[in-house]
Amino acid sequence: MTTLSELPDEQLLRLDHQICFSLHAAARAFNGVYRLALRDLDLTYPQYLAMLVLWEDGDQPVKQIGERLRLDSGTLSPLLKRLEMAGLVRRERSAEDERSVTVRLTEAGTALRGRALEVPRRISRATGLDVADITELRALLERVTTALDAAVADGATLTGA
Amino acid sequence: MTTLSELPDEQLLRLDHQICFSLHAAARAFNGVYRLALRDLDLTYPQYLAMLVLWEDGDQPVKQIGERLRLDSGTLSPLLKRLEMAGLVRRERSAEDERSVTVRLTEAGTALRGRALEVPRRISRATGLDVADITELRALLERVTTALDAAVADGATLTGA
DNA sequence: CACAACTGAATTGCGCACAACTGAATGGTG
DNA sequence: CACCATTCAGTTGTGCGCAATTCAGTTGTG
């Protein structure tokens, strides 16, 4: 297989720019699209992701939401607090383990799911992709993510050590 | 072609989750990898992107960097100020048009390019992708981004109006 | 049982992203 | 020429993402 490492120096910074940048740009474009599509629901994109997890798997501790979304408490704690302010969830210290906080959907939070069903329809229209494209894109992205996570965990590949 | 809109309600929120989420996750994974790879250079990932533009196209106004990176002054102004603090660039009001600020590489900024050449090598090793994969991924991402931008510009597709 | 190691959530601090706004400079139109 | 709209940077405010720290609660070990 041909790897980037075999290309000459001068092309590297250009090519590199285009790969990482296109992903960066795509992520922000998605964010912009969701911002619009979620305006009706008064949710931000990450808040929507948290609600998806709750709708799918039901009430659960902060820890578990974090594992699912790959987010730590530094991000989730304030985010969930905002969802609580909005009346969509409640947060309660677990009785069995006092360290854990269980996040529960309120009636309003559960009810919001009905309106949220419109969102993926709008998004899918906006992407202009068919199912085959999406499957392919997702497969590539997941492969990249896995490889990148492994590289970060390893460390040596990246730090130049 | 088969579009997502034809799928039943119940699958929508799941599938949707996976697409948008996998992109979100990949973008953050990339960010984490760059964070490590750029530690040596004392640059954040967006700062690195700005430097890439300057290395590639030379001194230029803030406006032009913004167009290239799709970032507005609200993001760029403080970012460039930090690069200036770090001694990598200077910012000067243009003589012809006093509204415009030209960003110029300092000697240190120009010199940094040499060390930056290592970065894409490390990243490409970390992604585990070959040139064909990358080309494909990039093509898909650019198609999505274009479609998404068009949808945001249009607006009607997304707001449900 | 006591004490150290660990775990889960929260907080702090920094940087990015974006909307909304300010303010100065420029350009066009009547 | 005067006025108004536009343009470019910058600022403010909000929310996310992550590192680092804190703190209470839990678990494992001697």
Side-chain angles (χ1 to χ4, degrees):
Chain A
M1 106 181 180
T2 315
T3 66
L4 273 188
S5 326
E6 296 164 23
L7 291 176
D9 272 12
E10 289 315 303
Q11 282 197 34
L12 266 183
L13 285 187
R14 280 191 42 77
L15 200 53
D16 170 71
H17 172 95
Q18 289 171 30
I19 308 153
C20 63
F21 175 68
S22 61
L23 195 103
H24 196 63
R28 293 199 340 256
F30 253 102
N31 221 303
V33 159
Y34 272 96
R35 195 190 314 281
L36 261 182
L38 292 171
R39 210 202 287 284
D40 289 357
L41 309 186
D42 271 313
L43 289 177
T44 66
Y45 178 42
Q47 287 166 10
Y48 172 69
L49 291 177
M51 293 301 289
L52 281 181
V53 169
L54 288 167
W55 286 326
E56 208 163 311
D57 296 341
D59 303 347
Q60 56 194 290
V62 172
K63 180 81 201 291
Q64 196 173 322
I65 300 176
E67 278 163 4
R68 198 79 194 280
L69 300 181
R70 298 162 149 282
L71 291 173
D72 67 5
S73 65
T75 302
L76 280 178
S77 288
L79 185 154
L80 293 170
K81 209 176 277 185
R82 275 171 220 121
L83 289 180
E84 189 169 42
M85 290 295 167
L88 299 175
V89 305
R90 267 173 301 126
R91 295 180 306 145
E92 301 168 359
R93 284 277 157 196
S94 160
E96 309 89 64
D97 188 339
E98 293 269 338
R99 292 169 303 179
S100 175
V101 167
T102 304
V103 182
R104 301 185 190 285
L105 286 169
T106 61
E107 291 226 351
T110 306
L112 193 66
R113 186 176 185 278
R115 291 208 283 144
L117 283 168
E118 264 315 298
V119 173
R121 290 196 196 290
R122 294 178 191 167
I123 300 294
S124 77
R125 245 180 282 140
T127 59
L129 297 178
D130 62 28
V131 172
D133 285 335
I134 287 171
T135 306
E136 191 180 332
L137 183 56
R138 197 147 57 77
L140 272 170
L141 288 174
E142 277 165 16
R143 240 173 76 208
V144 179
T145 304
T146 304
L148 292 177
D149 283 348
V152 169
D154 175 16
T157 320
L158 285 167
T159 53
Chain B
M1 107 180 179
T2 315
T3 66
L4 274 190
S5 326
E6 297 164 22
L7 291 177
D9 272 12
E10 290 315 302
Q11 284 198 33
L12 268 183
L13 285 186
R14 279 191 42 77
L15 200 54
D16 170 70
H17 172 95
Q18 290 171 29
I19 309 153
C20 64
F21 176 67
S22 62
L23 194 104
H24 196 62
R28 282 186 298 132
F30 253 102
N31 222 301
V33 160
Y34 273 97
R35 194 190 315 282
L36 263 181
L38 291 171
R39 210 201 289 284
D40 288 356
L41 309 185
D42 270 313
L43 289 177
T44 66
Y45 178 41
Q47 286 166 11
Y48 172 69
L49 291 177
M51 293 301 289
L52 281 180
V53 169
L54 288 166
W55 286 325
E56 207 164 311
D57 297 341
D59 302 347
Q60 57 194 292
V62 173
K63 180 81 200 296
Q64 195 173 322
I65 300 177
E67 278 163 5
R68 199 79 194 280
L69 299 181
R70 297 161 150 283
L71 291 173
D72 67 4
S73 65
T75 302
L76 280 178
S77 289
L79 185 154
L80 292 170
K81 209 177 277 185
R82 275 172 221 121
L83 289 179
E84 189 169 40
M85 291 295 166
L88 299 175
V89 306
R90 268 173 299 127
R91 295 179 307 144
E92 300 169 358
R93 284 277 157 195
S94 160
E96 309 90 63
D97 187 340
E98 292 270 336
R99 292 169 303 179
S100 174
V101 168
T102 304
V103 181
R104 302 185 189 286
L105 286 169
T106 61
E107 292 228 350
T110 306
L112 194 65
R113 184 176 186 279
R115 290 208 285 143
L117 282 168
E118 266 313 299
V119 174
R121 290 196 196 291
R122 294 179 192 167
I123 300 293
S124 77
R125 245 179 284 142
T127 60
L129 296 178
D130 62 27
V131 171
D133 285 335
I134 287 171
T135 306
E136 191 180 333
L137 182 57
R138 197 148 56 77
L140 272 170
L141 289 174
E142 278 165 16
R143 242 172 75 206
V144 180
T145 303
T146 305
L148 292 177
D149 283 348
V152 169
D154 175 17
T157 320
L158 286 168
T159 52

